[in-house]
Each structure stands twice: as C-alpha cells, then as structure tokens.
Amino acid sequence: MNAPLPRRRAFLVQYTGDADPPRGQVSGRVEHIESGASLHFSSQEELNDFIANTLSKEKPQPGGTPPRHFNT
C-alpha cells in the first residue's frame, strides 16, 4: 500500500560528523519541514521525543484520519 507522504509530517535529520547511529551514538539537528521548528539533539531519545511531540500537535485534516501518537 502506498500511503501519501504529507509535508506536514516531514522531518530533516542531520547527524554530526562524529555520530555513529548503528552503534547508538547519535547527535545532530532535526527540523520539522512544515513549521521550521528545530532541535539540536545528543541522543536517540531526544530525537524521538522531538518527532513524537511535534506529531502530537498535528491537527487532523478534514476527511482524514486523526494523528497517531507514538510511544518512544
């Protein structure tokens, strides 16, 4: 199933040069494309929390499904 990819749910994640995600060492910056809200993060938990909190503020679209809330 090819679900739509709405811009309001798009994020840009940029890792620092010394980040090593496969080993769980993450740091960098995340930006919500629609709002421009951003965060410098130093852990996967901070990255996940930013995304989950941003999506939890999402307003349902007319005729669409309500936003999902993620547990991190």
Side-chain angles (χ1 to χ4, degrees):
M1 179 167 112
N2 290 335
L5 298 171
R7 177 182 167 94
R8 69 183 182 278
R9 300 191 80 164
F11 293 84
L12 171 71
V13 177
Q14 182 178 20
Y15 291 104
T16 59
D18 60 349
D20 190 355
R23 293 181 183 226
Q25 300 168 346
V26 297
S27 58
R29 181 177 173 278
V30 58
E31 181 177 338
H32 181 233
I33 300 300
E34 179 95 345
S35 70
S38 65
L39 172 78
H40 287 270
F41 60 91
S42 58
S43 70
Q44 186 68 47
E45 183 179 9
E46 287 178 344
L47 173 59
N48 292 348
D49 286 348
F50 176 81
I51 293 171
N53 288 336
T54 302
L55 292 176
S56 72
K57 296 172 187 171
E58 185 178 292
K59 295 178 183 172
Q61 297 299 304
T65 57
R68 296 184 328 187
H69 296 274
F70 298 90
N71 295 323
T72 57

